[in-house]
Amino acid sequence: MSGESAGLRRLLENSVATGRRLARTPVPAGVRTGLRERLGLTEADADSRPPPYTARITVVPHHECHGGAQTFGVSAWCEGISPLPYTTGPTQLRPTGIGLGNALGDGPAPSQLLRDIRHWSRNQQRLAAWINRARAVHGDALQVTVHDDTGYEIPWEAFWLPADPAQGLDEGLLGALVAVTRWLTIRSTELVLPEASVSATGDVLGYYFHDARPARPYRDGVRHIHDMRADMAVFQGYAHRPHLTIDGFLDELDGCPADPVGLVYMAAHGTYDDRVDALTLAEVTWAEYDDRPMTVLDKDHSMVCLNACHSARFVRNTGLGETDLRGFTELFLRKGAGGCVVAAGQVGDSEARELIGQLVGILAAEPWRPVADSLRLFRSRALDEFGPLTNLPRTRHEGRLNVDGQRPVLRLLYSLMFQYYGHPLSTLSLSGPRPGTATGGEGDAR
C-alpha cells in the first residue's frame, strides 16, 4: 500500500456548476435500454432476485464516431418508476480526472478532487434526476447496483446527488445515502450479475504483509517499511487463521479446510499499471494468482476483503488479445468469491486499518445486515464526522497547502474508496474462536 508521492501524503501525515442538456445518440449494438434482464445464465428463483427496491444502472463504454474519444452511455431500470433509456452526450466523455486513484500522488488536493466530482455529477442531470425519483418512491430501502463495464474508474459511490425539496430529498453522496453494489461482466463464465445472495459464514483466513528487508530511503528522504501485521488486531475474538508468508496463505486458500471460511482478508501492498502483467498484490503478479485454484472460494463462496492499494482497479487486457477487464477483483470473483470489498486508490496503512476496524465492527454487531448496507452505514458515519458538504475547505491558505483543511476531506475520500462487488443482499457472519483456533494475535500467525 505504497506509491504515495512525497508531497501531499507527507504533509498530511506529518501534521498528525450548471449542467448541460444531454444529447441522445443511437444505442450501441448489444446494449439494452432499461428493459428487465435475467440475473445470470439461468432464470433466478424469485427469492434470489434483487428485491423491487433495487435500481439497476448499466454503464457501457464506446467511442465517438469522430475523433475516437472514449465515452460511455447509461441506462437504468427500477420497479415503480419509468426506466431511463440509454443516453450519452458531450458530458459523458471518459472523466479521467475524477477517479479516486487520483486522491494522492500527483492528483489534485482532496477538496479539489471532491469539487471536481461534484462538477462532473452536475453534468449527469438525467441520471441524477432518475436516481432521485427512485429515492422518492422507495425511500431508505432503495439499493443501487451499478453494472459498469467501462473500466473508466468512475467514482459512483461519490456521485453527488442534488436536493429535491419537493420530494423531501437532501443533497448528498450516493454511497452514503443508499446501499451501492458494483458488478462487471465476468466474461469467462458469462456471469452478468450474481444469481443469488450469499450468506458467507465461518473463519477469517488472513494474510498480513511484512517487508523484512531493511527500510530503504525514498527520494523524499523518508524511510518507509511496510508492516501490515497490526491489522490482525481487527479480528481479535474471532476464529482466525493468520499468515505472515504469502506461500502459506495461498496454500491454505488452495486447500480444503474442514471449517468453512467466511472471510478471506489480505492486508498487503498493491501496485497498479496499465498492463495486466504488471499488477501485483503482496509482490505476487496477477497471472501468478490466476494460476491458483483457490478451492476455498469455490467451496465456501467466502467474502474477500483486499486492504491493498488499487485492488479495485482494472486493466483492459488488450496486450493479451482480449477486451476483458482484468484485475484482482475480477480474479477473486471468477474464482468463486461471494463478494469483494476492495480499494479504488491509495489508502494509508493506519487510516485503512481504522476504517476496516470500523467496518468489521458494523458487520460483527449486525451480521444480518447486507455487506452493501454496512458499507453505506460506514460511509454515512464518515460523512457525519466530516460535516456539511457545503463546508469544503479551500485548497490553499495564506500561500500554502491547507493541510488542516485537507485532512478531514481525505478521510472522507478514504471511506468512499472502499467498494463492494457482489449481490446487494449478501451477508457475512464471522465465527467465534474454537479450541485450537487463533484469535488474532501476532503470535498465532504462521
Side-chain angles (χ1 to χ4, degrees), residues 175-234:
L177 291 170
V178 303
V180 175
T181 64
R182 286 176 172 252
W183 197 253
L184 77 159
T185 303
I186 308 297
R187 299 191 187 278
S188 63
T189 59
E190 293 302 322
L191 180 59
V192 175
L193 278 176
E195 293 183 355
S197 60
V198 171
S199 298
T201 303
D203 300 354
V204 179
L205 174 59
Y207 168 72
Y208 306 89
F209 182 81
H210 171 59
D211 191 346
R213 297 169 295 182
R216 301 177 301 279
Y218 278 34
R219 61 184 177 182
D220 58 0
V222 178
R223 296 176 69 83
H224 298 273
I225 188 167
H226 259 314
D227 189 348
M228 305 295 289
R229 291 176 293 184
D231 277 29
M232 286 188 276
V234 170

Side-chain angles (χ1 to χ4, degrees), residues 17 77 104 114 117 124 127 175 183 192 215 235 238 303 366 438:
W77 180 92
L104 287 172
L114 201 51
I117 294 172
Q124 317 308 314
L127 177 60
W183 197 253
V192 175
F235 302 107
Y238 299 104
M303 287 289 166
E366 301 174 325

Side-chain angles (χ1 to χ4, degrees), residues 36 46 49-55 77-81 137-138 141-143:
R36 186 164 192 163
R49 225 185 268 273
Y53 44 80
T54 298
W77 180 92
C78 184
E79 285 190 19
I81 64 172
V137 169
H138 295 294
L142 179 68
Q143 299 171 338

Side-chain angles (χ1 to χ4, degrees), residues 205-212 228-229 241-255 264-270 280-286 288-290 292-294 304-308 328 331-332 445-446:
L205 174 59
Y207 168 72
Y208 306 89
F209 182 81
H210 171 59
D211 191 346
M228 305 295 289
R229 291 176 293 184
R241 305 205 287 274
H243 290 265
L244 295 181
T245 67
I246 190 65
D247 290 334
F249 168 79
L250 290 175
D251 286 346
E252 186 161 4
L253 190 61
D254 288 345
V264 173
Y265 182 86
M266 295 186 70
H269 170 48
T280 68
L281 179 61
E283 300 185 336
V284 179
T285 69
W286 180 92
E288 289 165 345
Y289 281 102
D290 198 39
R292 313 293 297 229
M294 300 188 184
V304 171
C305 180
L306 303 180
N307 183 4
F328 291 109
L331 186 150
F332 281 97
R446 305 164 197 181

Side-chain angles (χ1 to χ4, degrees), residues 40-180:
L41 294 175
T42 58
E43 192 69 29
D45 294 336
D47 291 340
S48 67
R49 225 185 268 273
Y53 44 80
T54 298
R56 163 81 179 275
I57 299 173
T58 302
V59 193
V60 295
H62 60 91
H63 288 80
E64 293 285 2
C65 295
H66 303 291
Q70 290 181 316
T71 184
F72 66 95
V74 176
S75 61
W77 180 92
C78 184
E79 285 190 19
I81 64 172
S82 298
L84 177 68
Y86 181 86
T87 183
T88 187
T91 64
Q92 289 182 226
L93 295 177
R94 179 175 185 170
T96 56
I98 63 171
L100 295 181
N102 297 323
L104 287 172
D106 297 328
S111 60
Q112 183 59 47
L113 178 57
L114 201 51
R115 284 186 168 95
D116 290 345
I117 294 172
R118 179 178 62 189
H119 177 88
W120 175 83
S121 300
R122 287 174 175 171
N123 284 334
Q124 317 308 314
Q125 290 184 8
R126 294 187 66 180
L127 177 60
W130 186 89
I131 294 173
N132 271 350
R133 288 198 295 274
R135 291 172 65 198
V137 169
H138 295 294
D140 292 340
L142 179 68
Q143 299 171 338
V144 171
T145 296
V146 182
H147 184 169
D148 188 342
D149 275 336
T150 65
Y152 291 172
E153 301 187 347
I154 299 172
W156 294 111
E157 290 78 8
F159 188 79
W160 204 298
L161 289 173
D164 186 346
Q167 300 288 346
L169 300 176
D170 294 329
E171 180 183 42
L173 305 179
L174 179 64
L177 291 170
V178 303
V180 175

Side-chain angles (χ1 to χ4, degrees), residues 360-399:
V360 170
I362 294 171
L363 292 168
E366 301 174 325
W368 49 266
R369 184 187 293 272
V371 173
D373 196 55
S374 295
L375 272 168
R376 177 204 58 80
L377 183 59
F378 166 69
R379 299 186 195 107
S380 178
R381 289 177 180 177
L383 187 56
D384 288 343
E385 180 183 327
F386 175 79
L389 287 168
T390 53
N391 293 342
L392 282 179
R394 295 199 312 271
T395 301
R396 301 185 69 81
H397 180 67
E398 296 182 352

